[in-house]
Amino acid sequence: MARLRFSEEFLESLAGLDKRVEESVWKKLALVQGFPEVGSSLVEPSLRHAYGSACLKVVAAGYDVLYERGEKGDDGEEVVDVLGIVNQRAVR
């Protein structure tokens, strides 16, 4: 199981969302934690530019949750950096 590490940007954005969306995001992140490769690499160019070429995304309640698989730590546990959350309508 991977260890999740959250960016300040992600946490601030998440705090501004309603409870239903927040619950959906946490469910998706639980899936990512168990299976870090689950996300899609089909990320819009503007998001790739903002979050890096290696970012992946999962969709939660109309939002793209962007993350990047990191290297394994000294304990052998993979680290997943949760980078941001973006309303899908804002990207298009």
Side-chain angles (χ1 to χ4, degrees):
M1 183 170 284
R3 181 169 46 93
L4 300 178
R5 187 167 50 190
F6 303 100
S7 73
E8 190 172 323
E9 176 187 341
F10 170 79
L11 293 173
E12 287 175 1
S13 296
L14 186 64
L17 301 176
D18 69 45
K19 189 168 180 70
R20 178 189 63 82
V21 174
E22 184 179 347
E23 288 174 2
S24 180
V25 168
W26 288 121
K27 285 179 184 177
K28 291 294 179 143
L29 287 176
L31 182 63
V32 168
Q33 188 173 24
F35 304 96
E37 67 280 356
V38 73
S40 173
S41 61
L42 298 174
V43 177
E44 290 78 3
S46 61
L47 295 177
R48 237 184 234 296
H49 179 67
Y51 293 100
S53 61
C55 71
L56 299 169
K57 73 175 181 180
V58 289
V59 176
Y63 289 82
D64 288 337
V65 179
L66 298 136
Y67 70 95
E68 186 173 72
R69 294 176 68 183
E71 297 182 17
K72 293 188 178 187
D74 294 337
D75 58 1
E77 185 177 50
E78 185 172 6
V79 175
V80 171
D81 290 312
V82 183
L83 306 171
I85 182 167
V86 179
N87 188 314
Q88 289 178 328
R89 286 187 233 165
V91 177
R92 304 206 191 303

